[in-house]
Amino acid sequence: MPPWDVVLTSWTLNWPALALLVPAAVLYARGLRTARRRGIRWPWRRTLTFYVLGLGSFAALSFGFTGVYSHDLRWVFTLKITAYLFIVPLLVTAGKPLTLARQTLGPAGAARLQTFLGHGLMRALSNTVVAALLGLGMFTLFLTPLFHPLRTEPLWDVALTILVPLTGMLMVVPIIEDESAKAVSALIIVEFIYVFIELVADAVPGIMMRISPQILDGATQALTGHPGWLPGALRDQQLAGDLLWFLAEIVDVPLIILMFVRFARSDRNEATSFDSLTDDQLEALNREHLNGPHPPRGNNGPPEN
């Protein structure tokens, strides 16, 4: 493992990360200024969480040790990408940026935001099943020769730095924000079952990387610099497998917790909608549930014998 002086003093300027970090910080600051001008009280803890934990973790991953050595070391790349997809979005969303936007954009802006979030692609990405599939699909790529260009090619670096955190945000934000309540249906039970199955399945790529006696991506050249702590290619792959196995299991826990939260909100909203019905409406609803809807009667009278 690297010594602490290498971890603390390694840094690089990641332009794609900067292009994502600066607009996010500016937009949140504009929302805070608008909220203050309109007399909206915004908790300082959310602001601190958004900037320090959310954007701060993204900056540390992009500009620090993981940003410097992710091109060379499999285990560092694994740590960075997994954190991009799951950890950073959770920390950013804890600052409630979507709630702030809805309270400060005004009616027209809030309507445009809701239209964007209501798009089919946005709704699909906010589904927990899709979130689990995306994570499993990305982790499976680590078992293929694509793992090497993913780590080393500049174009892939730009794409992953921008798309992976945004994908994570699209998965997490609609689930845990205050206004994002979904109706209770049988599909949420399917999601519960699937995520528990996926909890076991997404450990497979990490296990395969850990126990494989061969270099799966074919990159076996030795790295130069810091010879005392840089691991060999096989040991590097084993460390990446250990990290992937551990992190893939850990990040499923927040997903399951979020599913419970979403279910509780949806159940509460559905209970409220039932409470607003009259006794006659409830009786009609129960009768329809038991017997099925009756077709409307025609105007031709009873059938002739």
Side-chain angles (χ1 to χ4, degrees):
M1 299 303 293
W4 280 109
D5 61 329
V6 175
V7 175
L8 296 177
T9 59
S10 299
W11 73 278
T12 184
L13 184 57
N14 190 323
W15 288 106
L18 193 65
L20 197 62
L21 188 68
V22 172
V26 171
L27 289 175
Y28 198 88
R30 290 183 60 183
L32 292 175
R33 185 180 62 182
T34 303
R36 184 168 58 251
R37 188 169 60 245
R38 294 181 180 178
I40 300 174
R41 298 186 60 183
W42 188 254
W44 63 268
R45 293 182 182 86
R46 292 182 181 177
T47 303
L48 194 64
T49 300
F50 180 83
Y51 281 109
V52 177
L53 298 182
L55 299 187
S57 63
F58 178 70
L61 290 166
S62 303
F63 307 135
F65 173 81
T66 51
V68 174
Y69 287 97
S70 63
H71 308 292
D72 301 321
L73 296 174
R74 296 168 181 84
W75 71 267
V76 177
F77 179 83
T78 300
L79 174 61
K80 185 176 78 168
I81 294 301
T82 307
Y84 272 176
L85 185 62
F86 293 109
I87 299 175
V88 170
L90 284 172
L91 296 176
V92 168
T93 309
K96 298 298 181 68
L98 187 58
T99 301
L100 179 63
R102 280 175 166 151
Q103 293 183 7
T104 57
L105 282 177
R112 288 193 298 268
L113 177 63
Q114 192 59 39
T115 300
F116 172 77
L117 294 176
H119 191 272
L121 177 61
M122 302 300 107
R123 292 199 306 270
L125 288 173
S126 66
N127 188 287
T128 313
V129 173
V130 177
L133 280 175
L134 286 173
L136 182 59
M138 179 172 294
F139 297 153
T140 304
L141 290 178
F142 293 179
L143 301 176
T144 70
L146 285 175
F147 194 28
H148 182 252
L150 285 176
R151 292 188 291 113
T152 57
E153 294 293 335
L155 289 179
W156 276 115
D157 180 61
V158 173
L160 292 174
T161 301
I162 295 176
L163 295 180
V164 173
L166 288 179
T167 302
M169 290 293 296
L170 291 175
M171 293 188 300
V172 173
V173 169
I175 298 177
I176 69 175
E177 285 278 0
D178 293 338
E179 293 83 357
S180 58
K182 299 184 179 182
V184 174
S185 67
L187 289 179
I188 199 168
I189 307 301
V190 176
E191 291 183 23
F192 273 113
I193 297 173
Y194 181 85
V195 169
F196 278 110
I197 295 174
E198 192 268 342
L199 183 66
V200 178
D202 63 7
V204 174
I207 295 173
M208 294 297 295
M209 292 178 69
R210 183 64 178 86
I211 67 176
S212 176
Q214 299 177 347
I215 308 302
L216 297 175
D217 62 3
T220 58
Q221 68 272 19
L223 301 176
T224 59
H226 303 287
W229 65 267
L230 277 178
L234 182 58
R235 180 56 180 162
D236 184 22
Q237 179 175 282
Q238 292 172 347
L239 290 173
D242 291 338
L243 268 175
L244 182 57
W245 186 359
F246 173 74
L247 293 175
E249 297 304 297
I250 290 298
V251 297
D252 277 316
V253 176
L255 286 177
I256 294 175
I257 293 174
L258 293 178
M259 290 178 62
F260 277 107
V261 172
R262 191 182 69 178
F263 181 83
R265 288 178 182 167
S266 301
D267 185 61
R268 183 169 60 249
N269 291 338
E270 186 168 308
T272 302
S273 66
F274 281 127
D275 290 340
S276 63
L277 298 177
T278 63
D279 293 339
D280 292 338
Q281 290 172 329
L282 280 175
E283 184 179 353
L285 188 62
N286 290 331
R287 185 167 55 251
E288 181 179 344
H289 175 70
L290 294 174
N291 303 324
H294 296 285
R297 295 182 178 179
N299 297 325
N300 298 327
E304 298 180 357
N305 295 328

